[in-house]
Amino acid sequence: MSTTVSQSKQQHPQNIVTVDNLKIHFPLKGGQTVKAVDGVSFQIRAGETLGIIGESGSGKSTVGRALVGLLKPTEGTLRYGETDISALSAAEYKRLRKNYQIIFQDPHAALNPRMTILQSLVEPMEIQNEGTRESRRKTALASLERAGLAPEIALRYPHELSGGQKQRINIARALTVHPQFIVCDEVVAALDVSVRGSILNLFADLQEELGLTYAFITHDISVVAHVSQRVAVMYLGNMMELGPTDSVIEQPLHPYTQALLSAEPRPVPSDMREDRRIQLQGEIPSPASPPSGCRFRTRCPYATDRCKADAPDWREVAPEHWVSCHYTTPSGVEQ
Amino acid sequence: MLVASNNTAVGNSTRLAERSTGDAQPVPGEVTPILDVRNLSISFRGRDGVTHVTHNVSFTVAPGERVGVVGESGCGKSVTGLSLLRLLPERTAIIDGEIRFDGRDLMSMRPKEIRAIRGRDISMIFQEPMTALDPVFTVGQQLIETLRAHYPVSQAEAREQAVQALKDVGIPSPETRVDEYPHQFSGGMRQRVMIAMALICKPKLIIADEPTTALDVTVQAQIIDLLTELSENTGTALLFITHDLGVVAETCSRMITMYAGEVVESSPVDDALRRPGHPYTSGLLRSLPRLSDRGSRLPFIPGRVPSPHALPEGCSFQDRCPHSGDGCERYQAVVEIDPTRHARCHKAKELNLEGAV
């Protein structure tokens, strides 16, 4: 990709993660491959929250897993700070890896039902060979408190807790090894609306207190808009748009982002609703046989023959605002 | 066939005994409702006793009206939906109250009579279309079966109507797709098939239980637009059960809020969004992150829904309510705020609650 060069030139000095032309392909029977992620490049800056949105099949969770080494890149590089992680030995990687944690969507499935909360909390430190039995216990209890839970909970089992409490446990567990960076994969999707706010507030508090960096992966645009400084929009294994949250939400430059934002049902009275829904035809195509050229062209209201023939470049259309579309301009798509 | 409830935990409660039963809500306007539910209480028998899941649920749906039922998980909205068609397991579910549909009493019907209503006069759409469709029959066979179960039409005629039904819900090339199996359809297309099946007998009422929750947002937009359009064109009433207040705002004209097994508010959607009548509705609306309010602290409702065995005396929301005080420990009757708005809160008239805007 020619554009990645220009992007790396203005590289931020303090990137926690740098992803360059990342591809993750899964082989299928019969020689086909699912191109779950197919050439994405971006950086995550120290102390920021990067939101990654997309529908199912967009590759957002695959990227999230790759960011913490749960999936190996088929192609491309992943750097933690300045370090290319593919060049590390297993021991070096394990030491570095503890700074990079992930929290999953289903708070219940992420906890072992046969372990007490305390046992779950000390496990990451045991794996890292950190401290003594007593110091691990202390760290675990301190993490619980930081996540807003009473220490008594440590001796309970997951089934005794509510969904919100369990997600707080998962957060506390990630904190026990003092990470710099946490991938949050749909962390509030399984929670009731009334408790989502308290969990999102907790993430914000922890970021401020501990200087954490997040990649916040979600399908919920209102959540991403709330927590992120920058937003990346994915579609069918490619990145469509990446920019400051305000620009992407207020003036989306990619036709897909525009449709996605307009599709979000809004809880406002009928007289306040802008009638501007862009109805997309059909659904996301199979990542095993993605369309030629631009991935979005089969559903794009502006698609032309050029979109079929050539994949659009990843262009910096406005300052810090990157878009992959032939036709977009700083004020949107021009026909 | 249907596993109904996430509320099947057992226990006991003496709560019902203390409740008065006379607060069925008046029908808004002069229209005779197509569905009239009065004092519906559902309990489940378990090994260690009886769990009371809903208490004196009363609401109405007018012909052609689209009503949203909202609330968090465990508030009793799905159980209520299933009970309307008597789909709850008969051996364990105890249903008390009145369900009148089109002037007829569904509660006292014999199984044969209720079967004649299911699918023909009232049909249902579920969250997960793949589990609601039979994988070993083509969608055409399933559509035809539904139609011929209720109407004496020939196979050829039924097939024609099945193709038309698929066409009506926007499935491309319905003539060939009618012979395909559910697994050959994508998630959104499967939900369209479900809607086609729900509509093929031209019912008077559709109960849709989280019909778009499993779908992506761009597909969800297609499905809610389709449901609204079909309901408007055919005059079918819709009871839309969902946790998503945005979906209700875009599809329904009235909103019923349930909490801990009770209806706590019934208001026109626009009113509920602007000035909700019950503190729980207000709390739900305020908890939604707004695109316009980025980066600020998010409001939330402290605590959690009480379990059916540990409901507080009086108002079931009082422990989480910012307005609780004197009088909340007493049983809460439904208060009429104005003829179209009702809330189960003794302060409903004096409180000025914040909505979504």
Side-chain angles (χ1 to χ4, degrees):
Chain A
M1 250 193 200
S2 60
T3 45
T4 53
V5 181
S6 63
Q7 213 183 344
S8 55
K9 259 187 229 155
Q10 50 159 30
Q11 202 179 70
H12 201 274
Q14 285 179 303
N15 288 331
I16 288 269
V17 177
T18 307
V19 174
D20 206 356
N21 194 28
L22 177 73
K23 292 187 184 180
I24 298 172
H25 295 176
F26 298 103
L28 287 181
K29 278 182 197 161
Q32 268 193 314
T33 53
V34 169
K35 294 167 181 162
V37 177
D38 207 24
V40 301
S41 305
F42 60 95
Q43 297 96 32
I44 301 174
R45 297 166 188 164
E48 80 165 342
T49 301
L50 174 72
I52 303 177
I53 56 176
E55 299 180 274
S56 43
S58 64
K60 58 186 190 304
S61 288
T62 308
V63 166
R65 278 158 202 254
L67 288 177
V68 291
L70 295 179
L71 289 169
K72 277 226 150 56
T74 311
E75 226 183 286
T77 57
L78 173 66
R79 273 175 293 159
Y80 286 172
E82 298 299 312
T83 317
D84 182 345
I85 63 158
S86 64
L88 295 176
S89 72
E92 286 171 322
Y93 174 65
K94 186 176 159 188
R95 243 194 339 268
L96 192 58
R97 164 71 168 79
K98 78 170 182 127
N99 297 325
Y100 295 77
Q101 295 293 325
I102 185 166
I103 298 170
F104 295 102
Q105 171 170 1
D106 185 340
H108 189 70
L111 293 169
N112 187 330
R114 288 165 173 270
M115 279 159 76
T116 63
I117 298 307
L118 183 64
Q119 286 170 324
S120 283
L121 288 170
V122 296
E123 202 180 25
M125 293 179 276
E126 287 169 355
I127 291 167
Q128 288 291 341
N129 267 323
E130 266 185 17
T132 62
R133 205 179 131 84
E134 188 47 35
S135 77
R136 288 196 288 263
R137 203 179 144 266
K138 267 193 179 150
T139 310
L141 294 177
S143 292
L144 266 187
E145 199 185 339
R146 192 153 250 169
L149 294 168
E152 294 87 68
I153 254 177
L155 297 175
R156 300 227 221 143
Y157 285 90
H159 74 267
E160 300 174 70
L161 308 179
S162 72
Q165 286 173 320
K166 277 181 273 195
Q167 201 57 301
R168 283 176 191 268
I169 302 289
N170 287 311
I171 296 167
R173 182 171 55 180
L175 295 178
T176 56
V177 289
H178 309 292
Q180 295 175 286
F181 172 71
I182 303 178
V183 172
C184 307
D185 190 359
E186 298 277 18
V187 283
V188 294
L191 304 178
D192 270 319
V193 178
S194 66
V195 299
R196 270 182 204 178
S198 68
I199 298 292
L200 293 173
N201 289 344
L202 174 63
F203 275 108
D205 291 343
L206 293 171
Q207 183 163 47
E208 199 165 306
E209 270 173 56
L210 308 172
L212 292 172
T213 304
Y214 299 130
F216 224 94
I217 297 167
T218 170
H219 68 283
D220 189 331
I221 295 141
S222 57
V223 167
V224 137
H226 212 88
V227 299
S228 321
Q229 285 83 54
R230 291 193 305 146
V231 178
V233 183
M234 289 193 68
Y235 184 82
L236 208 54
N238 281 179
M239 213 164 255
M240 298 285 119
E241 184 158 358
L242 168 65
T245 303
D246 289 344
S247 329
V248 174
I249 301 290
E250 302 289 343
Q251 183 149 40
L253 298 181
H254 196 284
Y256 175 62
T257 316
Q258 291 166 356
L260 195 63
L261 286 170
S262 80
E264 181 80 359
R266 302 226 163 111
V268 294
S270 44
D271 54 0
M272 288 178 63
R273 190 167 300 128
E274 302 150 63
D275 195 20
R276 53 180 192 99
R277 179 170 288 169
I278 303 161
Q279 184 79 266
L280 285 186
Q281 294 306 306
E283 286 164 59
I284 193 164
S286 159
S289 51
S292 64
C294 172
R295 294 289 165 97
F296 182 56
R297 69 169 170 83
T298 52
R299 299 174 74 195
C300 181
Y302 308 105
T304 65
D305 285 346
R306 185 177 168 205
C307 304
K308 195 173 180 174
D310 304 321
D313 286 334
W314 184 232
R315 296 186 290 143
E316 190 173 10
V317 174
E320 294 273 293
H321 196 152
W322 296 76
V323 190
S324 167
C325 174
H326 290 306
Y327 294 106
T328 200
T329 69
S331 52
V333 183
E334 269 176 16
Q335 267 300 55
Chain B
M1 176 177 65
L2 295 161
V3 186
S5 155
N6 43 10
N7 266 325
T8 40
V10 284
N12 217 330
S13 159
T14 52
R15 186 177 168 81
L16 275 186
E18 304 155 15
R19 300 238 146 170
S20 80
T21 46
D23 40 46
Q25 287 162 31
V27 178
E30 298 302 311
V31 202
T32 313
I34 184 87
L35 179 70
D36 189 353
V37 176
R38 288 177 192 225
N39 296 316
L40 183 66
S41 297
I42 302 167
S43 315
F44 287 96
R45 235 179 255 122
R47 247 174 307 170
D48 308 315
V50 174
T51 306
H52 302 288
V53 176
T54 71
H55 316 275
N56 295 326
V57 168
S58 300
F59 63 90
T60 60
V61 180
E65 190 184 21
R66 290 190 296 277
V67 176
V69 182
V70 301
E72 293 175 277
S73 40
C75 68
K77 51 190 194 306
S78 288
V79 179
T80 302
L82 290 170
S83 73
L84 298 180
L85 276 175
R86 301 236 309 257
L87 290 171
L88 293 173
E90 285 193 7
R91 291 169 64 184
T92 53
I94 311 162
I95 306 176
D96 186 48
E98 240 183 288
I99 305 170
R100 300 192 75 82
F101 172 75
D102 214 3
R104 299 159 74 194
D105 181 13
L106 296 187
M107 291 286 292
S108 61
M109 277 186 186
R110 281 172 299 154
K112 195 181 163 192
E113 294 172 300
I114 192 91
R115 274 203 304 276
I117 293 219
R118 283 184 201 142
R120 190 185 68 188
D121 298 312
I122 307 179
S123 53
M124 205 150 175
I125 305 171
F126 295 98
Q127 175 171 349
E128 198 13 272
M130 199 55 204
T131 52
L133 291 166
D134 192 326
V136 301
F137 293 102
T138 65
V139 303
Q141 286 169 321
Q142 298 181 57
L143 284 162
I144 290 166
E145 186 193 356
T146 309
L147 185 61
R148 293 191 75 194
H150 296 293
Y151 292 103
V153 292
S154 70
Q155 179 73 20
E157 209 177 310
R159 190 186 152 87
E160 226 170 81
Q161 287 196 39
V163 171
Q164 185 59 42
L166 291 177
K167 200 172 170 186
D168 290 342
V169 296
I171 291 180
S173 43
E175 300 82 3
T176 50
R177 302 225 69 180
V178 71
D179 294 320
E180 290 182 6
Y181 290 88
H183 75 267
Q184 293 169 288
F185 288 75
S186 66
M189 284 296 155
R190 258 179 235 145
Q191 201 56 294
R192 282 173 195 262
V193 171
M194 283 301 299
I195 295 172
M197 201 173 291
L199 280 167
I200 196 162
C201 292
K202 306 198 167 40
K204 298 186 176 110
L205 172 70
I206 294 181
I207 302 166
D209 189 355
E210 303 274 7
T212 60
T213 307
L215 303 174
D216 278 318
V217 59
T218 55
V219 181
Q220 167 174 284
Q222 297 167 4
I223 297 294
I224 63 180
D225 287 356
L226 174 69
L227 273 174
T228 311
E229 190 191 308
L230 291 173
S231 149
E232 257 158 28
N233 293 347
T234 58
T236 304
L238 198 60
L239 188 68
F240 209 119
I241 299 168
T242 176
H243 69 283
D244 190 329
L245 292 141
V247 169
V248 169
E250 297 203 350
T251 45
C252 298
S253 55
R254 204 150 51 83
M255 181 164 116
I256 290 169
T257 314
M258 287 189 72
Y259 183 76
E262 289 179 317
V263 172
V264 295
E265 177 166 1
S266 168
S267 296
V269 166
D270 286 359
D271 287 339
L273 294 169
R274 222 175 245 126
R275 41 191 174 115
H278 194 281
Y280 177 62
T281 316
S282 169
L284 275 185
L285 290 168
R286 282 168 22 92
S287 302
L288 299 169
R290 296 173 211 176
L291 285 179
S292 54
D293 234 4
R294 295 189 289 276
S296 57
R297 307 264 323 153
L298 279 163
F300 58 91
I301 306 176
R304 58 198 279 198
V305 184
S307 100
H309 329 300
L311 289 175
E313 291 286 316
C315 172
S316 39
F317 188 57
Q318 57 181 304
D319 295 342
R320 307 174 75 190
C321 181
H323 307 285
S324 69
D326 282 350
C328 298
E329 73 291 347
R330 288 197 300 272
Y331 168 73
Q332 301 294 309
V334 173
V335 171
E336 181 179 308
I337 305 168
D338 64 41
T340 59
R341 297 163 65 214
H342 297 83
R344 199 181 276 279
C345 172
H346 68 104
K347 294 184 177 175
K349 279 185 168 171
E350 56 192 81
L351 288 175
N352 192 6
L353 297 168
E354 200 183 325
V357 288

